[in-house]
Amino acid sequence: MAKNNCFHCGLDIVKEEHPSTDSYRYELTKQILFDGKEFCCNGCKTVYEIFSLNDLTCYYDFENAPGATPQDIDGKYDFLDNESIVIKLLEFQEDTAAIISLNIPHIHCSSCIWILENLQRLQKGINTSQVNFPEKKVRINYNPEIVSLKNIIYLLSSIGYEPYISLENYETGKNNVDRSLTYKLGVAFFCFGNIMLLSFPEYFEVKEYWLDNYKPFFRGLIFALSLPSFLYSASGYYVSAYKSIKTKMLNIDIPIALGIVVMFIRSTFDIVMDYGPGFFDSLTGLIFFMLLGKMFQIKTYSFLSFERDFKSYFPIAITKVISDTLEESVPIYDVQKGDRLLIRNQELIPVDGILISDKADIDYSFVTGEAIPITKKSGDKVFAGGKQIGKVIEMEVLHSVSQSYLTQLWSNDVFQKNVEQKHKTITDSISRYFTPILLLIAFAGFGYWIFFDANTAFNVFTAVLIVACPCALALTAPFTMGNMLRILGNKHFYLKNALVIEQLAKVDTIVFDKTGTITTNTKSNISYEGEVLTESNLVLIKNVLRASNHPLSRMLYDFLPEGKRLKLDSFEEITGKGIQATINGVKLQMGSAALCSPPSEGSVEVLQTSVHVKIDDVYYGKYVFNNEYREGLSELFGKLSTQYQIKVLSGDNEGERSLLESILPKGIEMIFNQKPEQKLEFIKKLQEQGKNVMMVGDGLNDAGALAQSNVGISISENVNVFSPACDAILDAKEFKKLHYFLKLSKKAITTIKMSFTLSLLYNVVGLSFAITGNLLPLVAAIVMPLSTITIVSFVTVMSNYYSRKLG
């Protein structure tokens, strides 16, 4: 009998030898030849044909035989013809765009990622597909007018990636919890405890008639008790090691699995030959302690993720409609089903809901990447992640806000910046060479000691394989960054992802926007200059301002008296200029002098922050703002200027230059009359000079600058101006702590370096003891997970220590 492997899935193809009259010939059972390659079944051959026809054979370049044999699924997904079921599965749905996240259990390697992110080449109508490798999910954006969800599911199944769909999970919002590790840990503990108990007479070499006569029975019992631990509890290590060898990417589970198998064979040999009791106590103890370390690691990481997704403060406020005349700004996570929300121009819709207003134009580029606004009518469903464009609208909430969903949208690849991840590169390099070097050391140690003492040789071999662990090295950066994200989130500084911490630590230049960033929206001394405005005029102005999110609009809106609510006929906000709107046939223009064309002004009056008012082409006057700067601004700039280059950009005129110069430290560059595109160019020029630039703005007129900067921070103050271009959102109340957050990011990098050193030191010391025969396998098994626990505890303690010390 000879064996070949299927080119697609790697399964064995059995060849049976049958004698012939003149020579031996091979008769292939189950083998199918196509394009010079062997396949185990028609399914695998069909997948290869599909990939070949679509020029996707690169799939096989990443890994040998990466595929899975497609299953027969005729009729299995007919329930997807029911539109009401499909709606429950979809995350987002409009006429020409729908998004679904599917669980794909077979995702296991780089080939899987590559083919699943190239589905658009296999099926017309699929726009994009993104793989979440740790969660084994693919997020597909497709056009339902061209391709149905059922067709996509059949496509995935036909190429060996059948999704797991459970309607129960989608309806209840709960995921099945995988408790296999808990069961394995329980079995390992039971076996370990009982074997230890039965091994006591062997430890003390007690001479007792009954024990001596029944020693074979007790040893047989110990062997039987070791089997569940060896075969079931440790099975994860064998599977991982097998997959690793199959993909030719050696991982740390190979030496662990090898150590367990060698120890089991050697112990079994000892008992069968009556050389001794073997090392089943050490073996089961080793498996138990390693699983315990893995459980600790998973629990800690889950805690950090939970703290970030559900307990951290996502600092965005939303306007809740209490009654026809009363509105209230509330935190985004306080929004509940049935609430009525007011969404202004350029505001993000934070949650799925039903449109109450007559009509709305929604930009879903944040979700789908398509920037063409979609018109919705009263009663239509609107989805979280859309941006309202135009006049103010009202909507009713369908369910509470999913912060994890907003974070997922924010982390979309479309908005990612190209960042070099130094720590990840170091970790990957160490992990790649760690296993081959470790195996070399283990065999060298065994080869040396076997000439002196076989018992010591086996102990050295097993101890070396078990004690050395790159896990501590691999966990250093993720746990430090994860804990830091949690700490910063709890302090109302919410980061897009862990990469932002690394970027914050590299910053050397900080650019601040003025209006709405270093000035506060909530306090301002406002006065009116011009012709007297009637009560009806004030009502018109107040209703126009209600739809705008600009900091000056919000301040003026709060300043004006309450009045009757009126519907806007039209509304347009011109970036850098102001607002044009129509109410009941009356045309209003409000904003800069360039928009409203006031009569000629004196030079002194020009240098003021002001909003001009024009009604039905008649100029009335202007509201003058004497801005109030944020509390602690002078102290913050004083601290920052000692370590960073500080610049202030403003779209306003130079009216407040002298005031700013008196407040801020000397030497800070201030540039006025900057349009949004000029702010972006300013950032570019700094970067061309080799600067690492952090931009701090309000996310409204400086979205381009935030996107261009190395780190973009959006200040949030009672408004929902959420720009996906920013890397972090800072609650305006915590603005004075910006220097503290920058220092904390640098300490995070210091903590990573310290824990890297600690991890390397542990491996060097552990291997030194193991190779010299001074470390028993059981002690190695205890020390190995202990190292992981030590590193995770160290980075957690140090992160919390720096958080308190610097604060």
Side-chain angles (χ1 to χ4, degrees), residues 224-377:
L225 279 168
S226 72
L227 289 175
S229 182
F230 174 71
L231 296 173
Y232 172 66
S233 296
S235 60
Y237 294 108
Y238 311 142
V239 171
S240 176
Y242 170 72
K243 286 182 178 177
S244 176
I245 292 166
K246 192 179 170 186
T247 59
K248 297 179 182 177
M249 294 281 286
L250 303 182
N251 66 16
I252 189 59
D253 288 336
I254 292 172
I256 292 172
L258 185 61
I260 291 169
V261 171
V262 167
M263 193 179 278
F264 179 80
I265 293 169
R266 192 239 171 141
S267 300
T268 306
F269 181 77
D270 280 357
I271 283 182
V272 171
M273 302 305 292
D274 199 25
Y275 289 158
F279 299 92
F280 288 114
D281 50 351
S282 299
L283 173 68
T284 50
L286 183 151
I287 294 167
F288 169 70
F289 284 113
M290 285 195 300
L291 291 176
L292 192 66
K294 187 182 278 190
M295 175 70 84
F296 173 81
Q297 177 185 328
I298 291 169
K299 290 287 182 187
T300 308
Y301 207 77
S302 297
F303 168 74
L304 293 178
S305 299
F306 177 81
E307 285 277 304
R308 171 165 164 77
D309 283 344
F310 299 103
K311 288 192 175 180
S312 291
Y313 175 63
F314 200 88
I316 296 179
I318 195 78
T319 305
K320 182 177 170 181
V321 179
I322 308 297
S323 66
D324 289 341
T325 57
L326 185 61
E327 295 161 1
E328 181 187 11
S329 184
V330 296
I332 200 168
Y333 51 75
D334 282 352
V335 172
Q336 299 297 327
K337 181 180 179 180
D339 286 349
R340 281 175 66 193
L341 303 182
L342 185 81
I343 311 292
R344 298 183 183 87
N345 181 40
Q346 296 295 319
E347 273 195 347
L348 182 84
I349 296 170
V351 66
D352 294 353
I354 300 295
L355 183 65
I356 296 173
S357 302
D358 295 338
K359 195 178 82 166
D361 291 322
I362 313 291
D363 175 3
Y364 281 116
S365 57
F366 193 15
V367 183
T368 64
E370 294 291 329
I372 302 166
I374 294 168
T375 302
K376 310 296 284 184
K377 294 177 183 175

Side-chain angles (χ1 to χ4, degrees), residues 183-196:
Y183 300 147
K184 286 176 181 178
L185 189 64
V187 170
F189 181 67
F190 173 80
C191 297
F192 173 51
N194 282 283
I195 288 173
M196 287 286 285

Side-chain angles (χ1 to χ4, degrees), residues 131-285:
V131 173
N132 182 333
F133 186 73
E135 293 185 11
K136 294 187 181 294
K137 284 185 177 180
V138 61
R139 191 165 186 262
I140 301 171
N141 179 332
Y142 69 96
N143 186 338
E145 292 183 350
I146 298 173
V147 61
S148 69
L149 177 60
K150 183 179 174 182
N151 288 341
I152 291 172
I153 301 297
Y154 274 105
L155 167 69
L156 288 167
S157 301
S158 71
I159 61 172
Y161 292 97
E162 184 181 354
Y164 170 73
I165 298 176
S166 169
L167 287 176
E168 184 184 343
N169 290 350
Y170 285 94
E171 286 168 5
T172 60
K174 294 179 181 177
N175 293 318
N176 288 328
V177 179
D178 183 6
R179 293 191 172 88
S180 59
L181 181 60
T182 308
Y183 300 147
K184 286 176 181 178
L185 189 64
V187 170
F189 181 67
F190 173 80
C191 297
F192 173 51
N194 282 283
I195 288 173
M196 287 286 285
L197 191 67
L198 292 167
S199 299
F200 265 106
E202 302 276 5
Y203 297 153
F204 299 111
E205 296 183 352
V206 177
K207 293 292 180 184
E208 203 273 330
Y209 172 78
W210 194 83
L211 288 173
D212 287 341
N213 280 287
Y214 288 93
K215 193 174 280 185
F217 170 75
F218 283 113
R219 287 182 177 176
L221 197 57
I222 287 170
F223 172 78
L225 279 168
S226 72
L227 289 175
S229 182
F230 174 71
L231 296 173
Y232 172 66
S233 296
S235 60
Y237 294 108
Y238 311 142
V239 171
S240 176
Y242 170 72
K243 286 182 178 177
S244 176
I245 292 166
K246 192 179 170 186
T247 59
K248 297 179 182 177
M249 294 281 286
L250 303 182
N251 66 16
I252 189 59
D253 288 336
I254 292 172
I256 292 172
L258 185 61
I260 291 169
V261 171
V262 167
M263 193 179 278
F264 179 80
I265 293 169
R266 192 239 171 141
S267 300
T268 306
F269 181 77
D270 280 357
I271 283 182
V272 171
M273 302 305 292
D274 199 25
Y275 289 158
F279 299 92
F280 288 114
D281 50 351
S282 299
L283 173 68
T284 50

Side-chain angles (χ1 to χ4, degrees), residues 41-200:
C41 64
N42 277 314
C44 288
K45 188 197 93 168
T46 304
V47 176
Y48 176 78
E49 281 186 87
I50 292 169
F51 291 168
S52 298
L53 289 170
N54 291 278
D55 195 24
L56 291 172
T57 49
C58 294
Y59 174 70
Y60 300 100
D61 294 343
F62 296 99
E63 184 192 353
N64 290 330
T69 307
Q71 303 298 313
D72 183 14
I73 57 164
D74 281 348
K76 184 176 177 180
Y77 294 103
D78 285 349
F79 66 88
L80 293 177
D81 291 326
N82 187 327
E83 193 64 28
S84 61
I85 292 175
V86 172
I87 288 169
K88 287 179 182 177
L89 299 177
L90 296 176
E91 285 182 8
F92 173 87
Q93 185 182 31
E94 285 298 343
D95 293 340
T96 59
I99 295 174
I100 187 167
S101 286
L102 294 169
N103 189 343
I104 313 281
H106 183 67
I107 294 176
H108 71 285
C109 68
S110 51
S111 291
C112 302
I113 297 170
W114 186 81
I115 196 65
L116 288 171
E117 292 195 342
N118 280 279
L119 293 176
Q120 70 276 10
R121 292 166 67 178
L122 292 175
Q123 176 65 59
K124 190 180 178 185
I126 295 178
N127 301 321
T128 59
S129 50
Q130 288 178 303
V131 173
N132 182 333
F133 186 73
E135 293 185 11
K136 294 187 181 294
K137 284 185 177 180
V138 61
R139 191 165 186 262
I140 301 171
N141 179 332
Y142 69 96
N143 186 338
E145 292 183 350
I146 298 173
V147 61
S148 69
L149 177 60
K150 183 179 174 182
N151 288 341
I152 291 172
I153 301 297
Y154 274 105
L155 167 69
L156 288 167
S157 301
S158 71
I159 61 172
Y161 292 97
E162 184 181 354
Y164 170 73
I165 298 176
S166 169
L167 287 176
E168 184 184 343
N169 290 350
Y170 285 94
E171 286 168 5
T172 60
K174 294 179 181 177
N175 293 318
N176 288 328
V177 179
D178 183 6
R179 293 191 172 88
S180 59
L181 181 60
T182 308
Y183 300 147
K184 286 176 181 178
L185 189 64
V187 170
F189 181 67
F190 173 80
C191 297
F192 173 51
N194 282 283
I195 288 173
M196 287 286 285
L197 191 67
L198 292 167
S199 299
F200 265 106

